[in-house]
Amino acid sequence: PQPRNEPSKRGHRGRVFPPICAADQNFGKDNMAFYEHVLIARPDISPAQVEGLMEELSTFLDKQGAKVAKSEYWGLRNLSYPINKQRKGHYSLLNIDGPAEAIHELERQHRISDDIMRYMTIKVEELDENPSPMMSRKNRRDD
């Protein structure tokens, strides 16, 4: 049990607050780590605007000392459940090699932005240079 005079870090329904992000996990002692970052943008913006947003994020990460190894736009896709009364979203992937501070700042920017509905960052052992399964499926459909 926790002492009464100390505030609880457990929030609504027993969830830990603040949420733990991928940058808090440690796979090694290196200052730089590899991350896969997927985001869903609002469906009412154009694909060109999403590409522009991805470029802005890439330059922002460069200024933070991170390197974007790969950037993919997966297109406008159906969501499995409505988010903010929206049933579709523009999906994008970024493979990032950078410090945890850059990822923290990137996620803070996403929480502020109205254009981004959801995002997820996963820390990985190594970055995959091949096209993601989503892109290979898309290319197979185009043939």
Side-chain angles (χ1 to χ4, degrees):
Q2 196 167 8
R4 287 182 175 238
N5 58 357
E6 201 172 303
S8 172
K9 289 200 176 220
R10 296 243 172 228
H12 180 67
R13 296 187 183 152
R15 295 185 183 135
V16 175
F17 187 81
I20 298 171
C21 72
D24 292 334
Q25 301 171 3
N26 290 325
F27 282 137
K29 296 178 181 171
D30 296 338
N31 193 16
M32 305 285 268
F34 301 123
Y35 301 95
E36 287 185 355
H37 183 77
V38 178
L39 60 94
I40 305 173
R42 291 180 317 154
D44 53 343
I45 62 177
S46 70
Q49 287 175 309
V50 176
E51 294 286 344
L53 177 68
M54 297 296 285
E55 288 296 321
E56 288 176 22
L57 293 176
S58 296
T59 56
F60 170 77
L61 287 168
D62 286 339
K63 289 179 186 174
Q64 295 289 321
K67 186 183 121 197
V68 177
K70 179 171 65 171
S71 175
E72 292 180 355
Y73 172 65
W74 292 346
L76 186 65
R77 303 179 50 84
N78 289 326
L79 302 174
S80 58
Y81 58 89
I83 300 173
N84 300 333
K85 299 181 182 177
Q86 303 290 334
R87 297 202 171 272
K88 293 187 176 209
H90 293 278
Y91 282 72
S92 298
L93 168 78
L94 289 171
N95 280 355
I96 304 168
D97 176 12
E101 293 82 26
I103 302 302
H104 282 294
E105 185 60 26
L106 177 69
E107 291 181 349
R108 188 186 75 78
Q109 295 273 332
H110 287 345
R111 285 192 294 274
I112 294 170
S113 174
D114 290 334
D115 288 337
I116 298 172
M117 297 191 304
R118 290 280 193 277
Y119 62 90
M120 182 172 59
T121 308
I122 299 172
K123 194 171 195 177
V124 293
E125 297 274 342
E126 61 185 55
L127 294 177
D128 188 16
E129 294 299 323
N130 299 327
S132 66
M134 298 294 291
M135 289 300 286
S136 61
R137 215 169 93 197
K138 186 177 177 182
N139 290 340
R140 187 176 40 198
R141 220 178 309 147
D142 291 342
D143 291 342

